[in-house]
């Protein structure tokens, strides 16, 4: 019995040491991965990297990790026109089946899912915010975007008719969708009226409808779905064979 008790104590001690070593190793790996991702994606701040699953060391020996969560704040994505950028306030991605190669210098995830949030004032930069003529004597421009409820965006438009600004802006609820995996499109469900002036639908939609390309997301992940929310538009992202580093 005494020998068995000693054996159990040794097993518990060794198990505890293994857990400590495993957690030290995973913390070190998370820091290294965050630094490498910052360099690879040319990020202004160091991202959050969390390696899931236990034990970590046996996963490393096998050459792959089950699950890695990545969080990036204030990510500057390409807007599609070469010079402009659009800020993503919070980008979160869950990387599954991460395989290493090249002596752990590169890593690729089999699949990735996540979320991204873009503030309304950031998306507003894409809309026609400067007064534009929509009919003889009538100009209009978008002055605000906000949550319209039920996944819709409320687009607020200011108009001037024959040199007189309408006393109150008009608004319209708009649907927001993802097209081609890299573009957010805002399209009015109906058309606002500008002081009773008869204006062609195409001219009105030239003001109310717009789209924003969001390109160059980390590892090649793409936009999937989008909906309006109180703090901005919330986008789900997805990807396959997503490159994390190297």
């Amino acid at each position: 019995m005494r020998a068995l008790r000693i054996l159990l104590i040794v097993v518990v001690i060794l198990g505890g040491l293994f857990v400590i070593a495993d957690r030290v190793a995973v913390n070190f790996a998370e820091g290294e991965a965050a630094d490498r991702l910052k360099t690879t994606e040319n990020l202004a701040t160091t991202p959050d990297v969390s390696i899931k699953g236990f034990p970590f060391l046996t996963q490393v020996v096998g050459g792959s990790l089950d699950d890695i969560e990545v969080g990036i704040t204030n990510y500057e994505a390409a807007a599609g026109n070469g010079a402009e950028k659009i800020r993503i306030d919070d980008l979160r991605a869950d990387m599954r089946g991460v395989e290493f190669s090249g002596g752990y210098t590169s890593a690729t995830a089999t699949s990735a899912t996540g979320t991204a949030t873009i503030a309304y004032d950031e998306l507003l930069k894409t809309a026609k915010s400067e007064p534009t003529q929509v009919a003889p004597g009538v100009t209009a421009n978008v002055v605000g975007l906000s949550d319209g409820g039920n996944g819709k965006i409320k687009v607020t438009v200011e108009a001037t008719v024959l040199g007189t600004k309408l006393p109150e802006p008009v608004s319209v609820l708009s649907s927001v969708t993802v097209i081609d995996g890299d573009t957010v499109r805002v399209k009015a469900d109906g058309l606002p009226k500008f002081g009773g002036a008869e204006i062609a639908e195409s001219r009105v939609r030239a003001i109310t409808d717009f789209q924003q390309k969001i390109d160059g997301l980390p590892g090649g992940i793409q936009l999937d779905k989008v909906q309006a929310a109180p703090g901005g538009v919330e986008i789900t992202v997805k990807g396959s064979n997503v490159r994390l580093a190297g």
Side-chain angles (χ1 to χ4, degrees):
M1 289 295 296
R2 186 170 181 273
L4 179 59
R5 188 179 301 113
I6 293 173
L7 178 61
L8 289 175
I9 292 173
V10 170
V11 170
V12 169
I13 291 174
L14 290 177
L17 291 175
F18 176 78
V19 170
I20 292 173
D22 192 80
R23 293 304 89 189
V24 169
V26 76
N27 288 337
F28 175 78
E30 288 171 344
E32 288 293 307
D35 290 340
R36 184 162 295 179
L37 185 59
K38 179 182 178 181
T39 300
T40 301
E41 298 295 337
N42 194 28
L43 303 177
T45 59
T46 302
D48 295 325
V49 175
S50 179
I51 299 174
K52 304 298 181 180
F54 178 83
F56 165 70
L57 292 174
T58 57
Q59 293 183 70
V60 172
V61 171
S64 65
L65 298 177
D66 296 334
D67 188 0
I68 297 179
E69 292 182 359
V70 177
I72 304 173
T73 57
N74 297 324
Y75 181 76
E76 297 286 337
N81 54 12
E84 296 293 330
K85 298 284 187 179
I86 184 166
R87 187 186 75 250
I88 298 176
D89 290 338
D90 189 25
L91 176 62
R92 300 277 162 182
D94 187 10
M95 312 290 187
R96 299 278 185 172
V98 179
E99 300 284 343
F100 299 103
S101 61
Y104 300 103
T105 58
S106 64
T108 303
T110 301
S111 65
T113 57
T115 59
T117 303
I118 300 176
Y120 287 116
D121 60 351
E122 192 71 13
L123 192 61
L124 182 61
K125 296 176 182 179
T126 306
K128 293 287 183 65
S129 55
E130 294 297 324
T132 301
Q133 182 172 308
V134 293
V138 181
T139 61
N141 61 291
V142 176
V143 294
L145 302 175
S146 59
D147 179 24
N150 297 319
K152 304 285 187 178
I153 290 181
K154 184 170 76 171
V155 179
T156 302
V157 181
E158 196 171 69
T160 299
V161 179
L162 298 176
T164 301
K165 184 179 293 186
L166 296 184
E168 295 291 338
V170 295
S171 61
V172 61
L173 290 179
S174 299
S175 297
V176 55
T177 56
V178 170
I179 56 175
D180 299 328
D182 63 1
T183 301
V184 173
R185 181 172 66 184
V186 177
K187 184 176 182 180
D189 294 345
L191 299 178
K193 301 296 184 181
F194 302 127
E198 291 295 329
I199 304 173
E201 179 177 347
S202 61
R203 301 289 292 179
V204 178
R205 288 197 176 278
I207 301 298
T208 60
D209 300 359
F210 60 92
Q211 57 188 38
Q212 171 64 65
K213 191 169 185 179
I214 301 172
D215 205 2
L217 294 179
I221 57 177
Q222 290 190 312
L223 311 184
D224 185 23
K225 300 177 183 177
V226 62
Q227 69 174 7
V233 291
E234 294 182 347
I235 304 168
T236 58
V237 297
K238 66 178 182 179
S240 57
N241 297 322
V242 177
R243 180 179 54 82
L244 291 175

